[in-house]
Amino acid sequence: MKKIDKAKLFILDHLHLFRCPVCERSFEKMEGNQLVCTENHAFDLSKKGTLHFLLKPSKSEYSREMLLARQRIAQMGFWQPMLDILYPLIEAKDGVTLDVGCGEGAHSAYLKEKGLHGPVVAFDISKEGVNLGAATYEDIFFLVADLAQSPFQAEQFDALLNILSPSNYEEFYRLLKPGGQVIKVIPGKDYLKELRAYQPEEKRTYSNQDVKDKFTDHYSESEIHPVHYKVDLTDEEVSDFLKMTPLGWNINVSDTNTASLKQITVDMEILVGNKSK
Ligand SMILES: C[S@@+](CC[C@H](N)C(=O)[O-])C[C@H]1O[C@@H](n2cnc3c(N)ncnc32)[C@H](O)[C@@H]1O
Ligand SMILES: [Zn+2]
């Protein structure tokens, strides 16, 4: 089946998940390849099977080249040990999962492959990221949207994945079903520390304390799961690695002793909070 037809079936089966970002009313039908709200605002379904909900264009700092590099790094397994810790923390494997700020979608794809069997919806403000995800992965519904004007109905999601991406706690509260989970992954102080050595003085150290405090303000009974491992990179992977994160963009490979970048530290924390029942 073509991607657009598969996506159309998904939308028709899951109309209740979405709401119009313009008037906040529900969607009741598709007209051809457009999703149309009860006030007649229409959103196009692309050939790749993605919906585009941004009301104004957004400029992302990630280009397609950088996203392709990030995808190759994800596919060589860079984040898999973290995702292997995260996967068992998802309580409702058959529930509805929303990946907030999914980038090029590799994390959701890996979790789906591991056994998430409920619907997985993934969105990002970056059209390039969403296009790459939709072109690469099956069985995830990708859309372009802004978390600040999210096109989703209230209380439809069992789990929100918020992996290295921005949060909006009021919106998370609205989106989650009672008892639903926010699973937020944040860098720890040693995350990619081999890259930090090349940064200007003020960027060499990092603390996630403010982010953690904000999370625990909203979820007082939250759990914190530390993640710490190292990944060995080949020369080719070092070059992708430098492209995939803003921390690598100021590093000139020819001037740099890349030996120090052949083993990279991944230091993260997974924060889990539940909305009260
Ligand atoms: C560091 S990337 C992480 C992407 C992916 N979760 C990963 O771990 O590879 C942060 C992502 O958040 C997205 N983002 C930033 N602001 C957003 C917003 N208001 N709504 C949706 N996505 C947003 C960016 O476009 C970017 O893809
Ligand atoms: Zn509308």
Side-chain angles (χ1 to χ4, degrees), residues 187-223:
K189 76 171 176 32
D190 289 335
Y191 184 61
L192 315 186
K193 70 174 180 193
E194 295 76 9
L195 282 185
R196 289 198 181 273
Y198 294 96
Q199 303 306 311
E201 186 71 35
E202 68 279 7
K203 283 198 186 164
R204 268 184 225 159
T205 53
Y206 169 75
S207 163
N208 62 17
Q209 197 56 48
D210 291 353
V211 181
K212 249 161 43 180
D213 289 347
K214 205 161 173 203
F215 190 90
T216 44
D217 280 352
H218 289 88
Y219 300 98
S220 54
E221 311 230 322
S222 53
E223 289 171 14

Side-chain angles (χ1 to χ4, degrees), residues 67 70 99-106 123-124 126 128-131 133 142:
L67 287 158
R70 196 169 178 95
D99 185 347
V100 176
C102 62
E104 45 65 54
F123 79 98
D124 200 284
S126 156
E128 288 78 14
V130 163
N131 280 345
F142 284 99

